[in-house]
């Protein structure tokens, strides 16, 4: 069955009808060479709350650097991290171009002069050790199963699938082949420039082109593929330009507080645009029978979305945890706190240790309310 985690809804039918119309002989037929599908990443392919995962990675690295070299606290973004600047952290959550630009520029400086394998090793260690604070599993376990099925469905109909994100291209490329089934060259995004020096490829302290946000998305897609997308999917206001250039636009609506998150922040304009232009809006709650791609979904499907550590706390305490950042920053945003990195009200030490769910705890999860 095609798209097995998609319920038989208007959204699923619209996707299937469009793909069939452009791949069968007829007036709407599109040659395979022009079947480009472009997807946003954060919030479209995996969880972006309480902050986009790459920001979690960068804040951990820079918090450690600031502890080792206190003079860095006079420079951005170290200054904002040390001072827990609410405006800075809010900008990260909403993917404000200025905030993202400051991070990407700083990232280019932090790894300038290093070879790609140095950065990749750090990202892999983060991916293998850091746990998402609410669900207690690796961020890479929180990829959306229905979107992976959509990748496969499109590829089976001779679409070439690309991911284009305002986040770091090289960050995404580390795990693209393993969790998305896409080659590295199909990942487009904000990136550093490279130089060939003394027989090695090394990162520079310059960005390659502009940010892949807003108008930068179709610009990056065209520069990379020589075409604009036929099919595009996103979830936020920064995806509007990419979605507008596509013949078929899919907008993910985060309306499932039980299995994921429910929010419209930084998406209100795109939702209004979808209604005006007739884009297909996917309701996580109504259109998807499953959310995540990993074994985590085996118990999340039954309403067991809280971490084991949270299950013993009172409902009032859990509510406060969801709505309070713990002081010094807006709700649910990663920030530095001594030797820890805090995401919302949940803490991990700077080594990456966090809330882990061993197999014994997964078994205990079945005792939680709503679990089988």
């Amino acid at each position: 069955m095609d798209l097995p985690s998609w319920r038989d809804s208007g959204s699923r039918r619209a996707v299937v009808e469009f793909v069939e119309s452009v791949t069968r002989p007829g007036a709407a037929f599109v040659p395979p060479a022009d079947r480009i599908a472009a997807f946003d990443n954060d919030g479209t392919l995996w969880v972006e709350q309480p902050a986009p995962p790459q920001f979690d990675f960068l804040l951990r690295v820079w918090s450690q650097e600031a502890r080792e070299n206190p003079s860095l606290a006079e420079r951005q973004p170290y200054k904002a991290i040390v001072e827990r600047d609410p405006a800075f952290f809010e900008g990260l959550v909403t993917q404000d171009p200025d905030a993202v630009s400051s991070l990407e520029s700083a990232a280019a400086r932090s790894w300038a002069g290093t070879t790609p394998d140095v950065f990749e090793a750090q990202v892999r260690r983060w991916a293998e050790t850091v746990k998402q604070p609410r669900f207690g599993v690796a961020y890479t376990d929180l990829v959306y199963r229905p979107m992976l099925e959509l990748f496969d469905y499109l590829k089976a109909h001779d679409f070439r699938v690309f991911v284009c994100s305002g986040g770091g291209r090289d960050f995404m490329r580390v795990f693209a082949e393993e969790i998305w089934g896409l080659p590295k060259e199909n990942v487009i995004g904000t990136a550093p420039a490279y130089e060939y020096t003394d027989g090695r490829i090394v990162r520079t302290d310059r960005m390659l082109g502009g940010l892949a946000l807003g108008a930068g998305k179709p610009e990056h897609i065209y520069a990379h593929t020589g075409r604009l997308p036929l099919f595009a999917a996103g979830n936020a206001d920064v995806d509007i330009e990419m979605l507008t250039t596509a013949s078929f636009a899919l907008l993910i609506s985060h309306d499932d507080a039980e299995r994921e998150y429910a929010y419209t922040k930084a998406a209100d304009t795109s939702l209004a645009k979808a209604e005006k232009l007739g884009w297909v809006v996917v309701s996580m709650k109504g259109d998807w029978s499953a959310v995540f791609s990993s074994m985590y979904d085996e118990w999340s499907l039954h309403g067991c979305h809280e971490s084991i550590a949270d299950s013993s706390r009172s409902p009032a305490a859990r509510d406060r945890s969801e709505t309070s950042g713990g002081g010094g920053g807006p709700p649910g945003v990663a920030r530095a706190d001594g030797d820890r990195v805090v995401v919302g009200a949940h803490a991990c030490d700077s080594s990456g240790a966090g809330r882990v769910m061993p197999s014994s705890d997964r078994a205990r999860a079945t005792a939680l309310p709503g679990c089988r």
Side-chain angles (χ1 to χ4, degrees):
M1 177 183 176
D2 294 327
L3 306 175
S5 297
W6 293 66
R7 295 190 175 105
D8 186 17
S9 64
S11 297
R12 182 186 182 280
R13 289 192 293 271
V15 169
V16 172
E17 288 171 6
F18 175 77
V19 171
E20 289 183 350
S21 73
V22 299
T23 57
R24 291 178 175 175
F29 178 80
V30 176
D34 291 325
R35 296 177 199 166
I36 300 294
F39 290 74
D40 168 55
N41 179 27
D42 295 320
T44 300
L45 300 180
W46 68 354
V47 168
E48 66 174 355
Q49 296 294 329
Q54 185 185 359
F55 298 159
D56 181 290
F57 166 72
L58 291 172
L59 292 179
R60 291 173 189 276
V61 171
W62 291 332
S63 295
Q64 180 66 30
E65 289 180 359
R67 283 193 293 273
E68 295 173 353
N69 183 2
S71 66
L72 291 174
E74 300 304 313
R75 298 166 48 189
Q76 295 289 18
Y78 303 98
K79 189 175 190 299
I81 295 170
V82 171
E83 295 178 356
R84 304 179 188 176
D85 180 358
F88 172 79
F89 287 107
E90 182 68 15
L92 299 188
V93 172
T94 60
Q95 296 190 55
D96 174 74
D98 290 338
V100 175
S101 180
S102 72
L103 256 70
E104 296 295 350
S105 296
R109 292 193 301 269
S110 291
W111 282 276
T114 65
T115 56
D117 59 293
V118 172
F119 180 76
E120 180 170 336
Q122 286 184 267
V123 175
R124 285 198 176 278
R125 182 175 182 277
W126 169 86
E128 292 167 359
T129 59
V130 172
K131 309 301 176 184
Q132 201 271 358
R134 176 181 172 186
F135 297 106
V137 297
Y139 283 96
T140 49
D141 286 333
L142 298 175
V143 176
Y144 304 138
R145 183 188 301 182
M147 299 307 280
L148 295 181
E149 293 170 358
L150 182 54
F151 278 12
D152 291 340
Y153 179 68
L154 291 170
K155 288 188 285 187
H157 288 80
D158 295 324
F159 277 77
R160 285 177 290 160
V161 177
F162 295 84
V163 174
C164 181
S165 174
R169 179 199 67 191
D170 294 347
F171 177 82
M172 296 182 290
R173 283 181 171 179
V174 173
F175 48 79
E177 295 176 352
E178 298 164 14
I179 68 173
W180 294 335
L182 297 181
K184 290 184 176 183
E185 57 267 28
N186 283 35
V187 179
I188 306 168
T190 309
Y194 284 86
E195 289 181 346
Y196 182 74
T197 304
D198 297 327
R200 303 183 308 159
I201 289 290
V202 297
R203 294 168 64 113
T204 72
D205 61 359
R206 306 184 308 277
M207 288 176 59
L208 182 64
L211 282 177
L213 287 174
K217 288 202 172 189
E219 291 169 358
H220 276 261
I221 293 167
Y222 187 83
H224 191 87
T225 69
R227 293 174 170 86
L228 290 174
L230 178 65
F231 184 111
N235 78 297
D237 296 346
V238 293
D239 300 318
I240 289 174
E241 289 82 356
M242 177 181 71
L243 295 171
T244 303
T245 63
S247 297
F248 185 94
L250 195 73
L251 187 70
I252 307 301
S253 175
H254 292 268
D255 59 358
D256 195 334
E258 290 297 312
R259 297 184 298 173
E260 203 240 15
Y261 293 91
Y263 60 96
T264 59
K265 181 177 287 187
D268 289 320
T269 302
S270 58
L271 288 167
K273 198 83 168 179
E275 183 175 0
K276 179 180 179 181
L277 297 180
W279 297 345
V280 174
V281 177
V282 174
S283 163
M284 274 192 173
K285 186 174 183 178
D287 292 332
W288 290 354
S289 62
V291 176
F292 298 118
S293 62
S294 70
M295 64 182 293
Y296 171 79
D297 216 29
E298 293 302 315
W299 56 280
S300 72
L301 282 173
H302 300 281
C304 312
H305 59 280
E306 296 172 313
S307 66
I308 296 302
D310 277 347
S311 66
S312 62
R313 300 164 62 203
S314 70
R318 292 197 297 269
D319 288 345
R320 287 194 298 273
S321 176
E322 289 294 327
T323 58
S324 172
V333 183
R335 66 185 190 281
D337 183 14
D339 291 331
R340 305 180 301 167
V341 172
V342 180
V343 185
H346 310 284
C348 301
D349 65 39
S350 58
S351 69
R355 182 170 293 143
V356 183
M357 182 170 290
S359 57
S360 59
D361 278 349
R362 284 198 175 94
R364 288 172 53 207
T366 60
L368 293 176
C371 298
R372 63 182 179 185

